[in-house]
Amino acid sequence: MTDWTRRQIGGLVGGALLGVAAPHIARGQGRPRVIVIGGGIGGATVARYLADLKSIDVTLVEPNSTHVTCFFSNLYLAGLRSLASLTFGLETLAERHGITIIRDSAVAIDPAGKGVELQGGPKLSYDRLVVAPGIAFKFGEIGGYDEAAAKIMPHAWIAGPQSELLRRQLKSMDDGGVFVIAAPPNPFRCPPAPYERASLVAYYFKQFKPKSKILILDAKDTFSGQELFQDAWSRHYPGMIEWLPSQFTGAIKAVDVAARSVVTEGETFRAAVANIIPAQKAGLIGEKAGLTDASGWCPVDPVTFESTLQPGIHVVGDSIIGGDMPKSAFSANSQAKACAFAVAASLTGSPHFPPHLFNSCYTFLAPDDAFTNALTFASEGGKIKTVKMFISKVGESAEARRRTAHHAVGWYSAFTADVFGGGS
Amino acid sequence: MQLVRKAATVSRAKGLAAEIRWLLGVSLSAILLFPGNSAAEDGSQGAQIAATCASCHDPAGRGQAIPPIVGMDEQGIVKAMLAFRASESPSLVMHAVALSLTDGELAAMARYLTGKANAGWQP
Ligand SMILES: Cc1cc2nc3c(=O)[nH]c(=O)nc-3n(C[C@H](O)[C@H](O)[C@H](O)COP(=O)(O)OP(=O)(O)OC[C@H]3O[C@@H](n4cnc5c(N)ncnc54)[C@H](O)[C@@H]3O)c2cc1C
């Protein structure tokens, strides 16, 4: 974090105090100005693609100095990647792509006045706004589980300190303990990821704590990639992972943090380590700004990603109601590109073509056994609909799975360069 | 190639040229010297489609696990994409992508990528 702090417009922040009469920060020399809220996967991609068009002034608002990718964080939990290798600064976006980075949180949006209020004080004005705040948790749906409880029973569903906490707990757990994963109801960030987590932690246990067990208490009765996971669990980790669907348990009702236990309708489970992944909703600024509907997520136009509730404001990534598109980094990146070209078209009259929306995820079952899926989407009747879907099959050769795991590693480095502005 | 171009079109071409510079590692000046070449002209559609490629293919062409697409010729790209369209066996992802592009879009994307590469990309 050396150089990009230089670009955190400290002077401007100091000069423009918040208030009704305070002037908005001046727009850059006649170029249209886009503000992007959230420097995660969706927001960084939008900012980068818009800035590279050179005709638009782009400001990215993000409170954290670095982004730790959720994807591959299950490899970290299993001791297969360092957290540092999953951490990206935003400096390349500033230095190579000319994006102004403001390290702050957006606390309010004024759609009529086209302004964004920051926690640090100033108000920024925009011609178009893109909001990409990721997810927030519906604390309270599981009795006793709140932000304080998450410091003892981590969710590790936003990578960073939460991932480190869970890793520490897994490392210090005695052999023979039960690791409980509470898997959330739909829709949630990255549908296969709770089960990838079970697989990779099982890989870790198999080596270091072979008497340990993993219990998945699910809020659902089926899950993404189920056949592939269950096949892998019986091949790699026989007897180690137990999955209990909601129809058996009535799902999780409460946690008892002091007793380290998880309470379902009929039973209480003692956990050596508990990973509670709560139900989710759009990042909080979405709700505050009137971008969410009753579902808790943000409805958008499937071509431009403009909010259907607040014209002039676009939303991409996990926060949206994505129709058939899963909440994944790949989806967020794909939506962000479509959004960037649509925003550019609306501001500069550049041409706009029907977007191609894709998702492709790599999921690890073991370090050398991964599966993949590939989906294409199109807009239909105002919704994003799946056009084609392909997924790895049970019974593929070990060699094919090894190749997929190898591709996953290649994908990770290319993808993060695309998002955070690496490459040449 | 039209001889007279509107300023807006030229500046758009410059913007897109800049955009693709990172994608392929090409020299920007080579593109700006020839703003009327076919790559820049159809770049807008080609660029928007080619943006998709960068989600998996390293812009610097360093890909090993996922092969680089930098420096492939136009026919080579079209041929490869048609092969991916026909069969899902080498890559599910490329099969899906190839199926979703029309012949016209595929041609625009290939022309765009090679146009940029020819304009100055050095292996
Ligand atoms: C364990 C796990 C594994 C996963 N594996 C994969 C995978 O293999 N492949 C895949 O494609 N996806 C995967 N995902 C999903 C992927 O990480 C998310 O879908 C992706 O990060 C969504 O991008 P986003 O931009 O919507 O949100 P984020 O990347 O979370 O970014 C949101 C950003 O907004 C910022 N923000 C929030 N509020 C404000 C505010 N008010 N002001 C300013 N900034 C704000 C936050 O600080 C954050 O940086 C995985 C997720 C998990 C949890």
Side-chain angles (χ1 to χ4, degrees):
Chain A
M1 299 318 82
T2 47
D3 268 338
W4 77 277
T5 46
R6 185 168 46 80
R7 300 193 59 116
Q8 285 172 30
I9 64 161
L12 283 175
V13 170
L17 293 170
L18 180 66
V20 189
H24 290 188
I25 289 172
R27 293 176 193 177
Q29 287 96 53
R31 291 197 305 166
R33 182 178 203 194
V34 174
I35 295 177
V36 180
I37 297 176
I41 304 306
T45 308
V46 173
R48 188 242 163 109
Y49 275 76
L50 273 174
D52 285 354
L53 291 170
K54 299 288 186 238
S55 47
I56 293 170
D57 189 47
V58 182
T59 299
L60 180 61
V61 179
E62 165 62 51
N64 299 316
S65 59
T66 54
H67 182 87
V68 183
T69 66
C70 283
F71 44 101
F72 277 40
S73 68
N74 288 329
L75 291 167
Y76 162 74
L77 292 178
L80 295 163
R81 288 285 287 233
S82 69
L83 209 60
S85 76
L86 309 181
T87 303
F88 295 82
L90 301 179
E91 61 273 12
T92 310
L93 292 175
E95 286 162 13
R96 285 213 219 157
H97 301 273
I99 297 166
T100 302
I101 313 270
I102 300 185
R103 205 173 144 197
D104 206 338
S105 282
V107 290
I109 295 169
D110 166 15
K114 294 194 167 185
V116 173
E117 274 178 34
L118 305 180
Q119 193 160 43
K123 188 164 180 175
L124 308 174
S125 59
Y126 63 82
D127 295 302
R128 286 261 158 178
L129 177 65
V130 182
V131 181
I135 54 162
F137 299 108
K138 289 182 176 172
F139 286 118
E141 292 212 341
I142 296 175
Y145 195 73
D146 54 16
E147 248 165 288
K151 298 214 159 69
I152 296 160
M153 294 180 163
H155 52 75
W157 221 242
I158 292 173
Q162 278 277 307
S163 322
E164 288 178 296
L165 176 61
L166 183 55
R167 169 80 181 142
R168 269 200 308 277
Q169 292 183 350
L170 289 168
K171 273 179 86 171
S172 58
M173 189 186 103
D174 289 337
D175 189 12
V178 178
F179 172 44
V180 173
I181 300 176
N186 291 323
F188 65 101
R189 164 174 283 183
C190 200
Y195 315 94
E196 179 189 61
R197 177 167 292 175
S199 310
L200 290 173
V201 172
Y203 172 78
Y204 166 72
F205 283 169
K206 196 172 154 179
Q207 297 168 85
F208 300 104
K209 306 175 190 221
K211 296 200 288 279
S212 307
K213 296 260 185 281
I214 298 172
L215 176 63
I216 306 169
L217 294 174
D218 212 321
K220 306 176 290 301
D221 288 330
T222 57
F223 61 89
S224 173
Q226 189 165 341
E227 269 189 27
L228 288 151
F229 280 111
Q230 289 178 331
D231 164 68
W233 294 344
S234 62
R235 283 188 293 115
H236 294 301
Y237 322 111
M240 193 177 254
I241 300 174
E242 187 177 2
W243 172 70
L244 290 180
S246 136
Q247 58 183 349
F248 290 178
T249 62
I252 292 193
K253 301 288 179 233
V255 294
D256 182 338
V257 172
R260 288 257 168 145
S261 62
V262 177
V263 183
T264 65
E265 215 152 72
E267 234 176 309
T268 296
F269 297 89
R270 282 262 311 149
V273 176
N275 171 209
I276 309 296
I277 308 165
Q280 293 154 36
K281 59 182 182 178
L284 296 178
I285 188 75
E287 198 173 305
K288 263 192 111 177
L291 294 162
T292 54
D293 67 13
S295 72
W297 305 97
C298 306
V300 292
D301 176 281
V303 174
T304 61
F305 292 87
E306 186 168 357
S307 165
T308 57
L309 301 175
Q310 300 283 2
I313 303 181
H314 299 246
V315 190
V316 298
D318 285 357
S319 282
I320 70 163
I321 298 169
D324 290 346
M325 269 185 119
K327 298 189 186 302
S328 73
F330 203 109
S331 293
N333 172 265
S334 183
Q335 293 160 4
K337 289 170 185 175
C339 175
F341 291 122
V343 166
S346 75
L347 291 175
T348 67
S350 61
H352 185 231
F353 297 91
H356 285 274
L357 296 171
F358 296 100
N359 180 60
S360 172
C361 286
Y362 293 94
T363 304
F364 285 90
L365 301 160
D368 59 353
D369 183 351
F371 72 88
T372 183
N373 65 6
L375 292 92
T376 65
F377 306 91
S379 119
E380 198 188 297
K383 300 237 167 354
I384 302 176
K385 294 275 180 210
T386 303
V387 178
K388 297 271 184 210
M389 171 170 155
F390 303 96
I391 183 160
S392 305
K393 294 178 183 59
V394 168
E396 280 174 342
S397 69
E399 179 46 37
R401 292 295 181 78
R402 223 186 328 273
R403 212 168 38 239
T404 304
H406 184 54
H407 283 163
V409 175
W411 168 76
Y412 186 89
S413 68
F415 184 79
T416 50
D418 187 38
V419 174
F420 296 107
S424 56
Chain B
M1 283 321 79
Q2 299 101 311
L3 293 173
V4 183
R5 308 181 63 80
K6 288 202 183 101
T9 314
V10 173
S11 77
R12 189 175 79 224
K14 284 183 186 174
L16 290 164
E19 186 206 338
I20 203 67
R21 186 162 50 123
W22 60 263
L23 183 66
L24 291 178
V26 300
S27 142
L28 185 62
S29 59
I31 297 164
L32 295 183
L33 284 173
F34 306 103
N37 73 17
S38 65
E41 190 181 44
D42 77 355
S44 42
Q45 185 182 22
Q48 291 187 23
I49 298 169
T52 293
C53 309
S55 300
C56 303
H57 292 276
D58 192 304
R62 291 170 304 211
Q64 300 227 323
I66 296 180
I69 47 174
V70 174
M72 285 178 76
D73 68 50
E74 192 174 326
Q75 280 318 304
I77 293 176
V78 172
K79 244 176 93 178
M81 291 300 285
L82 292 177
F84 282 126
R85 192 192 278 170
S87 162
E88 72 174 68
S89 69
S91 162
L92 296 185
V93 182
M94 290 313 301
H95 184 53
V97 172
L99 277 174
S100 86
L101 300 180
T102 64
D103 288 348
E105 288 172 328
L106 198 58
M109 185 265 287
R111 197 157 56 237
Y112 182 76
L113 286 171
T114 46
K116 297 307 171 194
N118 289 342
W121 179 75
Q122 306 283 324

